[in-house]
Amino acid sequence: MLHISNLDKRFDNVHALNQVSFDAKDGRILGLIGQNGAGKSTTFHSILNFLKYNGEIKWNDKPISEPTFDEIGYLPEERSLMEKATVQQQIVYFAKLKSRSAKWTKSRIKGWMQRFDVKGNVNSKLKSLSKGNQQKIQLISTLIHEPKFIILDEPFSGLDPINADLLKKAILEAKAKGATIIFSSHNMNNVEEICDDLVMLRNGKVVLNGSVQNVRNQFGKNELYVTTPMKQSELEQLAEVKSLYVRGENKYKIILNHPEDGVKLFNLISNGKYIEEFSQQPPSLDEIFREKVGEDHA
């Protein structure tokens, strides 16, 4: 488990991290979210000892030190590859930095390339690969040594939906093996889909911390997704409806005045008959993100 307590970092007049505290647990995925400049990358760099900081960071109850790095897989936001090297040379080099032998790594490269559907072979020059396939090679270099602690800084950036799904599958497989995983993303759908927990930073401070569902529930189940032949004008006149958005033919998103109004609306809309869709939910992470970031501009 990763434990961070009162992490604090300043760059001249910028308070990049202000008493940041959270835990990332074994066998769980934590999403670190926040607007640009919120402190996500600074948090990662502090964990990896790339910079000096105040506070406490421990991995399995011990400070992170040189021997610990063999257990860590890190994908930085800014990708970097040795373009004149071959795929095999690149992956073997990074695995050696994590104390894996060339023989051990070479025996696994083809399998990883198949998992990520890399277009090329082990002897392909990196510069000959597309940007998407180069990114896959960097992901393989991050994961092939089977790290117990994985840090991914914007891993989905530049990936199309199909390749993003391949990465999600690899992340979930590492989770199933007990790895501790943290990744940052501006795409709240990715966070909501695969994360167990989340931490939101705003201007260097933690403003949300907990399981994804508990965080969503903090904001109340005020959203209703419904499919009904009732007209928009009829729904808007109901006392329980605060606002309404059309999602498609006979499909609406209703914002309730109060969560308990959902029961009243169900009885009114269904009238005791079958109804195709009626789902009462808390706001999505994307909506919560926009609300919390928007507080800076209120």
Side-chain angles (χ1 to χ4, degrees):
M1 183 177 80
L2 177 75
H3 174 72
I4 294 179
S5 178
N6 299 319
L7 182 60
D8 206 274
K9 178 63 183 178
R10 289 180 180 272
F11 296 100
D12 297 325
N13 295 325
V14 177
H15 203 168
L17 297 174
N18 189 345
Q19 301 298 303
V20 169
S21 299
F22 65 86
D23 292 333
K25 300 173 183 176
D26 298 345
R28 292 179 71 85
I29 303 171
L30 183 144
L32 187 64
I33 64 176
Q35 81 275 37
N36 291 334
K40 303 184 297 297
S41 292
T42 303
T43 299
F44 290 155
H45 294 169
S46 299
I47 294 170
L48 295 163
N49 285 333
F50 290 172
L51 46 79
K52 294 181 179 179
Y53 57 84
N54 292 317
E56 182 179 72
I57 299 177
K58 288 188 175 181
W59 167 247
N60 291 336
D61 297 322
K62 296 180 180 179
I64 292 177
S65 58
E66 197 68 31
T68 313
F69 290 126
D70 285 352
E71 299 180 349
I72 299 175
Y74 171 55
L75 179 73
E77 182 176 11
E78 295 183 0
R79 314 296 190 240
S80 58
L81 292 172
M82 301 178 291
E83 291 194 347
K84 294 183 179 180
T86 65
V87 167
Q88 181 167 280
Q89 288 170 337
Q90 169 81 30
I91 297 173
V92 167
Y93 172 77
F94 277 100
K96 278 186 177 180
L97 296 178
K98 303 296 183 177
S99 300
R100 293 294 192 184
S101 70
K103 181 179 179 181
W104 185 95
T105 305
K106 288 178 181 179
S107 68
R108 289 162 171 79
I109 293 176
K110 288 184 179 179
W112 275 91
M113 291 179 69
Q114 290 173 355
R115 288 173 66 183
F116 279 97
D117 193 26
V118 176
K119 306 303 181 186
N121 58 61
V122 295
N123 295 314
S124 297
K125 294 284 188 179
L126 291 171
K127 64 181 180 181
S128 71
L129 302 182
S130 68
K131 288 185 178 180
N133 283 298
Q134 287 180 1
Q135 187 167 346
K136 292 178 186 179
I137 297 303
Q138 186 139 359
L139 286 166
I140 293 170
S141 299
T142 301
L143 300 173
I144 195 168
H145 68 284
E146 299 176 350
K148 297 178 181 177
F149 177 26
I150 301 170
I151 300 173
L152 306 170
D153 198 351
E154 294 290 343
F156 298 101
S157 177
L159 291 179
D160 60 46
I162 293 175
N163 287 315
D165 285 342
L166 292 174
L167 174 56
K168 289 174 187 176
K169 184 178 179 180
I171 292 174
L172 291 171
E173 287 175 355
K175 169 190 169 179
K177 293 178 181 178
T180 300
I181 302 167
I182 303 179
F183 76 82
S184 67
S185 179
H186 286 104
N187 187 323
M188 295 302 104
N189 290 332
N190 289 331
V191 176
E192 196 159 358
E193 184 177 348
I194 67 173
C195 283
D196 303 291
D197 308 298
L198 70 85
V199 170
M200 180 176 179
L201 298 176
R202 190 179 70 217
N203 299 326
K205 295 182 179 180
V206 174
V207 293
L208 292 173
N209 184 3
S211 72
V212 171
Q213 195 58 49
N214 285 343
V215 167
R216 290 184 65 203
N217 287 340
Q218 289 176 26
F219 291 80
K221 292 188 175 182
N222 283 4
E223 297 189 356
L224 187 63
Y225 293 82
V226 63
T227 299
T228 173
M230 288 182 67
K231 295 180 180 179
Q232 179 180 348
S233 57
E234 293 178 298
L235 292 169
E236 289 175 331
Q237 291 175 8
L238 297 175
E240 295 79 13
V241 175
K242 182 178 181 180
S243 57
L244 180 146
Y245 305 89
V246 178
R247 298 186 294 131
E249 186 177 357
N250 295 333
K251 293 180 178 291
Y252 303 95
K253 173 183 173 182
I254 295 172
I255 307 301
L256 303 171
N257 285 307
H258 306 285
E260 54 269 24
D261 289 337
V263 176
K264 300 176 186 176
L265 272 187
F266 178 79
N267 293 328
L268 285 167
I269 294 174
S270 68
N271 195 25
K273 299 178 181 179
Y274 169 78
I275 185 168
E276 181 180 340
E277 177 191 23
F278 190 98
S279 177
Q280 187 171 347
Q281 302 177 16
S284 67
L285 284 187
D286 188 69
E287 291 168 317
I288 292 170
F289 180 87
R290 293 172 187 275
E291 177 181 333
K292 298 301 289 185
V293 170
E295 291 176 0
D296 289 339
H297 308 285

